[in-house]
Amino acid sequence: MSERYARHCRRLRVATALIGAGIATLVLFGLVGPPIPIRVEVASLSPAQWVAVRLIVALPACGYLWALWAAQHALGRLAAGQRFQPTVSRALRQIGGGVLFGALAEVFLLTNLLRLVLGGSSSYLYVDLSAIVLGVVGAALLPVARLIDQARALQAELDEIL
């Protein structure tokens, strides 16, 4: 691996970590996620409901933050010179799982848990096209990671033969 590639991976790792820290900060302050339904007056919520709503709205971000953490971790491993195939395979699996969880939480869990906590009768889905696309991409990364694992196993078997 070239020093230029390692330097690039280190820079991307720092950038990814900073973005993740920024998003985590926004989540902690309740500034991330879809707005609480307009029909609900925030002042009318009990403290327990308010905390529950903030946690529910932050739920998709947890999956996305996991994906960012996995990406920066993989970049660090690549910069340290660790083997490409196992690092990328693991990263794709973790990133795909995190993105898939975040998207599923955003599309399905968000509205239904808010309905449960707030006692409303809103829709059963939060149709956000970007979340749906992210979910499909996250799901697609999982079999790609498996394919990389299979290629690595096949390469090891071929190396033993030769």
Side-chain angles (χ1 to χ4, degrees):
M1 174 178 55
S2 72
E3 180 57 33
R4 182 177 176 201
Y5 178 75
R7 220 175 22 252
H8 185 68
C9 286
R10 283 192 290 274
R11 284 188 204 126
L12 283 175
R13 181 182 188 189
V14 169
T16 305
L18 288 173
I19 290 168
I23 291 173
T25 302
L26 292 173
V27 169
L28 287 175
F29 286 110
L31 300 173
V32 171
I36 298 171
I38 305 236
R39 294 183 297 252
V40 176
E41 284 292 323
V42 176
S44 69
L45 296 177
S46 71
Q49 282 179 313
W50 187 84
V51 168
V53 166
R54 294 305 334 147
L55 290 174
I56 291 167
V57 169
L59 193 58
C62 294
Y64 300 141
L65 285 170
W66 171 260
L68 281 174
W69 178 87
Q72 70 86 24
H73 185 69
L75 288 165
R77 292 178 64 162
L78 289 172
Q82 293 192 4
R83 293 187 49 195
F84 182 80
Q85 286 179 330
T87 300
V88 170
S89 168
R90 182 176 183 190
L92 288 177
R93 192 174 298 105
Q94 290 176 338
I95 292 167
V99 169
L100 180 60
F101 172 80
L104 289 175
E106 194 161 338
V107 172
F108 295 105
L109 290 180
L110 191 72
T111 54
N112 291 308
L113 290 176
L114 284 175
R115 288 177 59 207
L116 182 69
V117 169
L118 300 175
S121 59
S122 63
S123 65
Y124 292 100
L125 295 173
Y126 175 63
V127 181
D128 179 6
L129 295 180
S130 60
I132 293 169
V133 170
L134 279 174
V136 171
V137 170
L141 289 178
L142 299 175
V144 171
R146 185 171 181 193
L147 186 63
I148 291 173
D149 284 338
Q150 290 173 344
R152 184 178 53 180
L154 183 60
Q155 180 67 44
E157 188 176 322
L158 288 173
D159 288 345
E160 284 180 15
I161 292 172
L162 298 176

